Amino acid sequence: MIDDAGIVVAFYIIGITTVVSALMVVVVRNLVHAVLFLVLTFVGIAGIYIVLSADFVAVAQILIYAGAISVLLTFAVMLTPAADRRNSETTFQAPAMVLALMVLALVTFVIYDTSWHIAGRGEFTVTAESLGRAFFKPYIVPFEVASVLLVVAMVGAIVLTQDDEDEEARAA
């Protein structure tokens, strides 16, 4: 149980900031701003993990979501034509709102209906060091191949978005 008042205040501040930034992802009409608010949401979730002493999960959240997924979304938005960057009204807005409210009701029901007391939970025996060894020792080659593949994909995206005039200027 978290007894320190500073940690509780930090949890609530990070939690409120995360929820507000997640709501802003839906509210803003500029797609670039929505991606930036999504990055702030990912970082806020990592902050919540840090406050709850789940350091390994926080680092994974930063690396995977706030890092890789955010870069992927930013490239996807930037590679689309500028005219398509505004979120426009859609006919699915009302059904999506009904579905979101139904999911909110279900989550609220589960929160209040679940007994959150975990009896007999002791110390965790698995540490971040042992998880790192388990991931990287047998899987180092696939990990390195995936990183090279991502670099090649990024270079390919840059080459595909170059203008013909830039190519002619470099050739001369």
Side-chain angles (χ1 to χ4, degrees):
M1 186 123 183
I2 300 173
D3 294 330
D4 188 20
I7 292 177
V8 172
V9 169
F11 176 80
Y12 281 114
I13 289 173
I14 294 170
I16 290 169
T17 304
T18 303
V19 169
V20 168
S21 62
L23 289 173
M24 291 302 291
V25 170
V26 178
V27 171
V28 297
R29 289 288 169 214
N30 187 336
L31 200 53
V32 176
H33 292 160
V35 169
L36 293 176
F37 278 117
L38 189 63
V39 171
L40 183 61
T41 303
F42 290 154
V43 171
I45 291 171
I48 289 173
Y49 288 144
I50 289 171
V51 169
L52 295 176
S53 298
D55 299 332
F56 178 74
V57 181
V59 169
Q61 174 77 20
I62 292 288
L63 288 176
I64 294 170
Y65 288 104
I69 300 298
S70 300
V71 168
L72 176 71
L73 288 174
T74 304
F75 270 106
V77 167
M78 294 302 173
L79 290 175
T80 58
D84 295 337
R85 288 192 189 153
R86 267 192 77 66
N87 290 338
S88 58
E89 299 295 325
T90 179
T91 58
F92 295 111
Q93 192 170 8
M97 185 63 75
V98 170
L99 180 65
L101 290 174
M102 287 174 28
V103 169
L104 177 66
L106 177 69
V107 168
T108 304
F109 173 75
V110 168
I111 287 172
Y112 286 113
D113 192 50
T114 302
S115 172
W116 294 100
H117 179 67
I118 301 173
R121 187 183 114 199
E123 294 280 327
F124 290 110
T125 58
V126 178
T127 63
E129 179 183 353
S130 61
L131 283 174
R133 286 190 182 149
F135 283 145
F136 292 121
K137 194 164 188 170
Y139 300 112
I140 190 70
V141 174
F143 181 77
E144 292 298 328
V145 168
S147 66
V148 170
L149 182 64
L150 287 171
V151 169
V152 168
M154 191 175 349
V155 170
I158 292 170
V159 168
L160 287 175
T161 58
Q162 282 183 339
D163 291 337
D164 291 334
E165 294 173 5
D166 292 340
E167 240 176 68
E168 291 172 4
R170 263 189 250 149

